[in-house]
Amino acid sequence: MTFKEVVEQVISLPGYFVVFDSEGSDAPKPDEAPATRQRHFDMFKDKEKAKLVFEVYSKSKANSIALLNEAGLLLDNHSYARAVALAIMSYEELGKSQIAADYYSGLLPESEYDKSFKRHEKTAYASRYRSIGTHEKVKHGFYIDKDVAKVLEQIRQAALYVDEDNNPSDNFTRDDAELIIAKVNEHHESISHAEWLNCRIGSKALFK
């Protein structure tokens, strides 16, 4: 796949979400409701932890914005490979913020919250599907092979490191950097508007 094809497939349209068909996942299937036997967080019963989880949400989002701004600076200075790498990292941090938001709101089970920081799924908002379950908005989700997320990770690595087959400065153009920065920025704008409009965070803001 080309860079543009990977970006278009992994970084979905704002308000949409990507679902991974991963073996061994305890996420509900398309025709199932969200798992009810798993432990969900109650912010009112554990206010100390609620504060910590909310800080993960807010700091991850702020870090995502900072990374995206820095990607723009690199773009302006013709450092296209590094701009691509930071934009991907920004998207990962934005995904982390949304996972934390859904756990904070009691939508995402604790097991998924803990695992999401160790897997590629956070990059593509798989938590959106797990949170919403049978909500009508699920029809706007779509399936991709989870290897595509690994491709995005490989792109980030290729934008940073040299090896026998790779030279970051030769692999990325200004168009590549502009594309991925624009895609991530669209997500930020969509999420920020939904949070402001609905006075909620995470999936509860987007799919009220």
Side-chain angles (χ1 to χ4, degrees):
M1 288 189 292
T2 66
F3 179 84
K4 183 176 181 179
E5 288 171 340
V6 173
V7 170
E8 294 289 352
Q9 191 167 11
V10 177
I11 303 183
S12 55
L13 295 172
Y16 286 53
F17 49 96
V18 174
V19 180
F20 285 92
D21 186 13
S22 54
E23 294 182 4
S25 173
D26 53 2
K29 304 305 180 192
D31 57 348
E32 293 178 343
T36 57
R37 295 188 298 275
Q38 299 186 66
R39 180 181 176 184
H40 286 68
F41 179 62
D42 186 335
M43 71 178 78
F44 299 107
K45 291 183 179 179
D46 192 343
K47 294 183 179 180
E48 288 298 319
K49 186 171 183 179
K51 180 180 178 181
L52 294 175
V53 175
F54 189 84
E55 286 181 352
V56 171
Y57 153 75
S58 59
K59 290 179 180 179
S60 296
K61 188 176 179 184
N63 192 40
S64 177
I65 293 171
L67 286 166
L68 195 61
N69 289 338
E70 290 164 14
L73 293 174
L74 290 169
L75 171 65
D76 291 340
N77 286 278
H78 314 291
S79 183
Y80 306 133
R82 301 300 188 266
V84 167
L86 286 192
I88 292 172
M89 294 167 70
S90 173
Y91 190 58
E92 291 173 344
E93 284 293 276
L94 183 59
K96 184 192 297 181
S97 77
Q98 297 301 288
I99 288 169
D102 284 351
Y103 178 58
Y104 176 84
S105 301
L107 295 175
L108 195 69
E110 186 172 37
S111 61
E112 289 300 323
Y113 174 72
D114 291 340
K115 286 188 293 184
S116 291
F117 293 89
K118 303 175 183 178
R119 302 186 310 195
H120 292 284
E121 276 85 339
K122 68 175 182 290
T123 303
Y125 299 98
S127 62
R128 293 278 185 237
Y129 173 77
R130 294 181 181 139
S131 300
I132 301 163
T134 57
H135 192 286
E136 63 178 2
K137 292 288 185 179
V138 167
K139 65 186 178 183
H140 296 303
F142 55 93
Y143 283 90
I144 62 172
D145 189 289
K146 77 174 188 176
D147 287 340
V148 176
K150 293 180 182 178
V151 171
L152 190 62
E153 168 67 12
Q154 290 167 0
I155 290 174
R156 181 164 67 86
Q157 297 297 315
L160 293 172
Y161 303 111
V162 170
D163 60 34
E164 293 179 351
D165 303 312
N166 180 67
N167 183 4
S169 62
D170 295 337
N171 290 342
F172 301 94
T173 67
R174 182 178 187 87
D175 287 344
D176 294 335
E178 288 179 341
L179 171 65
I180 193 166
I181 288 172
K183 293 283 286 185
V184 177
N185 188 58
E186 286 175 358
H187 275 275
H188 267 292
E189 290 179 347
S190 177
I191 288 169
S192 294
H193 177 71
E195 290 179 343
W196 170 81
L197 185 66
N198 295 316
C199 297
R200 297 183 179 191
I201 60 175
S203 293
K204 284 193 172 183
L206 285 169
F207 304 110
K208 183 177 180 180

